[in-house]
Amino acid sequence: MLVLNCPYCGLDKDETELSAGGEAHLKRFGPGSSDEDFEGYLFERTNPKGLHFERWRCAFGCGKWFHAARCTATLEVFGTYKAQTLEPPKVIKDVITTKRPGWSWRNFS
Amino acid sequence: MKRYSVFAVAREAMRQHSGWGRAWSNPEPKTSYDVIIIGAGGHGLATAYYLGKNFGITNLAVIEKGWLGGGNTGRNTTIIRSNYLQDASAALYEKSRSLYENLSQDLNYNVMFSPRGVMMLAQTQHEIRGYQRTAHANSLQGVSTEFIGPSRVKELCPIMNIDGPRYPVLGALWQPRGGSARHDAVAWGYARACSDMGMDILQQTEVMGIRQKNGNVVGVDTTRGNIACKKLGMVVAGHASVVAEMAGFKLPLESVPLQALVSEPIKPCMDVVVMANTVHGYMSQSDKGEMVIGGGTDGYNAYTQRGSFHHLEETVRALIETFPMVSRLKMLRHWGGIVDVTGDRSPILSKTPLGNTFINCGWGTGGFKAIPGSGWGFAELMANGESPLTAGFGLDRFRVGRFIDESVAAGVAH
Ligand SMILES: Cc1cc2nc3c(=O)[nH]c(=O)nc-3n(C[C@H](O)[C@H](O)[C@H](O)COP(=O)(O)OP(=O)(O)OC[C@H]3O[C@@H](n4cnc5c(N)ncnc54)[C@H](O)[C@@H]3O)c2cc1C
Ligand SMILES: [Zn+2]
């Protein structure tokens, strides 16, 4: 059972209390953008084997969306953080750096 | 290759089975091939087979990081059907189903294809309408299916409880020519036939990088050295995004675990395949007597080849209402595979941004049934640059919005 800590209500939540929301930090493209950008935003996914940043929702708890940094190969959780940010905060990046030195994900490292 | 036949069995019985020989060879990699296929699952091996058989291309290697058939091909619940909704899907899956009918003879290998019939239960009003629509679409496509009522369902599958309190059985989409086959045998049969044509199947060899020059592929880096090629086919299912990244492009895919389980073997009690999409469960009985059960995918990305336990619990709990006998069964084994799911629940058979490189992926939870047809079409695409079978399944459909939407009926489609 995957357990994530909701950064809003501060509680550890089993995955059965959460719903997964897919890749995090996508830049939204709408009407007027190029076909390429729109396709990238809607469909293209990083889908990495290893470190991943995702959106999750505290569905049966406080109801808020938050972010998680997680490894898809080992299921290790590096940390969770609030959704009101365009990139992972430094504390999360530091945790990842100690566990996965030299990591990179999309444009972040 | 020694042909398998009743005479061969008799001959070997007379000499203590001393003359069988290897089914496929275990060669050292050559320095270069005309074509390299990454991934010795059913789709990779079938592609290689039809490249040889239909196009005479045999200077070919299939490169596999584990053992052949050890990916999703050897982990699936083997449902074979072709009752899809969209014309492009029906053409591809029906081609595949019809190739399955003669596959044992074609490969001289018993793949145990058993057209015992597949029924997809309608347990809500919405499903009744959905499956009636599919039945009409299928009759226009020349795929023989039928919408049947609850009493016929009960007649075909007496162990079913059709008037459960929560999800009564209201009817079913019935495809009498659907069924199942032995998953390993499909991989082994193709592998043996490929090896017989002189192709190399390189097991325990992982592709780590893809070499390119002026926008074209020139070879692959593997754990057993660099190997050059003129054309490359990527057929790695759950690892498609990982291999595509080596070539420098992204895919519209998410990789998630899908699980299955089998019970202890019991006497024959069910001679059809039943899928119940509303409750996310499906079941059939193997020739060994085990009840083979599968459910829905996990909700989040993972590459662990095992899923969350609560999904199995949900699957079994859901099946108990419709199949009360399941509550008395001991479960023997459960396992998972990593399935590659696209937004429209249809596969990708396509050219890629890298020249002379082709990709076959996105089969998600339902590609076993498609192995012969996909191999047939993808081989044509790789050899000729186009194929009527694969035409609608290109990567460009996500750019132009021409989806082949098979996700309408339910999230599960095996
Ligand atoms: C539990 C479960 C139940 C299913 N039930 C059904 C069903 O009832 N009916 C149905 O039609 N379908 C079903 N499916 C789906 C079906 O199994 C798959 O769609 C199909 O087997 C995919 O075949 P493949 O050859 O593309 O992939 P795979 O069989 O997974 O083969 C891909 C191969 O590529 C290899 N590979 C990956 N990366 C590399 C690399 N870098 N270098 C070298 N090799 C590499 C892997 O080791 C693997 O062997 C099910 C799947 C699962 C997991
Ligand atoms: Zn919360």
Side-chain angles (χ1 to χ4, degrees):
Chain A
M1 183 78 66
L2 186 66
V3 179
L4 297 177
N5 185 277
C6 171
Y8 295 97
C9 54
L11 298 175
D12 283 347
K13 301 282 178 174
D14 289 351
E15 61 177 281
T16 45
E17 299 174 86
L18 303 169
S19 57
E23 186 165 333
H25 304 301
L26 292 175
K27 183 167 170 4
R28 184 178 182 137
F29 289 93
S33 55
S34 71
D35 284 357
E36 201 175 347
D37 284 342
F38 195 50
E39 181 197 13
Y41 161 61
L42 279 181
F43 299 110
E44 276 178 4
R45 292 296 174 261
T46 310
N47 194 19
K49 183 174 185 173
L51 171 65
H52 199 24
F53 294 90
E54 294 169 318
R55 282 155 50 83
W56 284 82
R57 187 167 172 255
C58 189
F60 295 103
C62 66
K64 291 228 186 280
W65 285 97
F66 64 93
H67 285 153
R70 202 170 60 81
C71 176
T72 62
T74 63
L75 302 188
E76 182 176 3
V77 178
F78 303 117
T80 55
Y81 52 100
K82 295 187 177 180
Q84 287 75 13
T85 170
L86 296 176
E87 69 174 284
K90 187 168 179 308
V91 278
I92 297 286
K93 287 184 171 181
D94 288 346
V95 173
I96 300 169
T97 305
T98 49
K99 298 191 165 173
R100 299 280 193 281
W103 66 274
S104 74
W105 181 87
R106 277 180 16 206
N107 298 327
F108 305 139
S109 56
Chain B
M1 175 175 85
K2 285 215 183 70
R3 278 190 71 77
Y4 293 158
S5 69
V6 61
F7 303 107
V9 173
R11 189 170 60 238
E12 290 306 324
M14 308 293 273
R15 51 177 186 188
Q16 264 123 40
H17 298 279
S18 55
W20 284 118
R22 291 187 74 104
W24 51 82
S25 62
N26 185 24
E28 284 300 309
K30 293 188 219 160
T31 53
S32 115
Y33 295 91
D34 290 341
V35 173
I36 286 179
I37 304 287
I38 313 175
H43 288 265
L45 291 164
T47 303
Y49 175 71
Y50 294 113
L51 275 169
K53 187 180 166 184
N54 296 349
F55 301 98
I57 298 170
T58 56
N59 181 17
L60 180 154
V62 185
I63 301 183
E64 167 58 51
K65 70 175 167 147
W67 64 94
L68 68 88
N72 292 345
T73 299
R75 295 163 185 267
N76 86 96
T77 49
T78 69
I79 298 177
I80 297 173
R81 60 185 184 90
S82 60
N83 51 355
Y84 283 71
L85 182 64
Q86 310 294 343
D87 291 350
S89 328
L92 183 56
Y93 289 103
E94 178 62 7
K95 171 76 183 170
S96 197
R97 196 205 52 75
S98 67
L99 284 170
Y100 261 120
E101 288 189 333
N102 297 315
L103 195 59
S104 294
Q105 288 80 355
D106 188 25
L107 298 177
N108 180 234
Y109 199 97
N110 188 2
V111 301
M112 296 166 73
F113 177 59
S114 159
R116 61 184 70 175
V118 174
M119 63 168 80
M120 298 166 78
L121 301 183
Q123 291 177 292
T124 61
Q125 292 298 329
H126 173 79
E127 274 184 306
I128 296 184
R129 281 194 291 272
Y131 288 144
Q132 283 175 340
R133 179 182 176 209
T134 305
H136 293 315
N138 289 160
S139 58
L140 291 171
Q141 292 151 348
V143 176
S144 62
T145 60
E146 190 189 339
F147 188 82
I148 57 175
S151 55
R152 178 97 173 101
V153 170
K154 181 80 182 167
E155 197 181 302
L156 286 163
C157 186
I159 63 167
M160 207 186 292
N161 171 24
I162 60 167
D163 39 38
R166 192 149 164 246
Y167 293 115
V169 175
L170 306 171
L173 181 64
W174 170 236
Q175 184 174 27
R177 286 169 172 243
S180 84
R182 169 88 197 267
H183 49 13
D184 299 316
V186 172
W188 296 338
Y190 276 120
R192 176 169 169 267
C194 287
S195 182
D196 186 51
M197 284 190 274
M199 299 175 180
D200 288 352
I201 301 165
L202 307 171
Q203 299 185 74
Q204 309 284 332
T205 310
E206 182 167 357
V207 171
M208 312 291 286
I210 290 171
R211 306 191 150 219
Q212 30 185 304
K213 206 171 177 182
N214 306 327
N216 287 314
V217 67
V218 292
V220 293
D221 300 328
T222 77
T223 45
R224 288 163 84 191
N226 307 329
I227 310 176
C229 67
K230 298 188 184 117
K231 280 186 186 174
L232 179 67
M234 305 171 170
V235 199
V236 293
H239 282 76
S241 299
V242 177
V243 173
E245 205 208 334
M246 297 175 194
F249 58 92
K250 274 189 170 183
L251 291 170
L253 281 183
E254 303 276 25
S255 295
V256 290
L258 174 65
Q259 302 177 82
L261 65 162
V262 292
S263 74
E264 59 192 329
I266 55 174
K267 287 188 176 169
C269 65
M270 179 180 176
D271 61 359
V272 293
V273 180
V274 178
M275 304 173 64
N277 285 342
T278 291
V279 296
H280 278 206
Y282 48 97
M283 190 159 84
S284 63
Q285 189 168 21
S286 76
D287 291 356
K288 284 185 281 183
E290 302 157 330
M291 303 310 286
V292 181
I293 298 173
T297 55
D298 275 22
Y300 52 88
N301 299 30
Y303 284 81
T304 50
Q305 289 194 328
R306 66 190 146 85
S308 300
F309 188 73
H310 70 93
H311 276 282
L312 289 182
E313 216 176 345
E314 274 163 23
T315 300
V316 174
R317 191 168 61 212
L319 279 178
I320 286 175
E321 177 182 314
T322 313
F323 297 93
M325 58 164 276
V326 170
S327 70
R328 294 290 177 274
L329 281 179
K330 292 191 193 73
M331 295 300 157
L332 279 193
R333 284 175 283 128
H334 74 96
W335 63 90
I338 301 303
V339 297
D340 41 337
V341 181
T342 59
D344 62 359
R345 299 295 186 279
S346 286
I348 295 165
L349 296 131
S350 183
K351 296 181 179 173
T352 70
L354 182 59
N356 296 331
T357 304
F358 302 82
I359 192 154
N360 179 343
C361 64
W363 291 100
T365 58
F368 176 71
K369 62 178 73 64
I371 285 172
S374 149
W376 184 284
F378 194 57
E380 189 173 20
L381 177 68
M382 285 191 70
N384 294 348
E386 57 183 12
S387 157
L389 270 186
T390 66
F393 294 93
L395 273 171
D396 58 336
R397 75 177 188 269
F398 298 95
R399 171 92 36 110
V400 298
R402 201 176 291 121
F403 308 113
I404 303 173
D405 192 353
E406 293 293 350
S407 63
V408 275
V412 275
H414 300 277

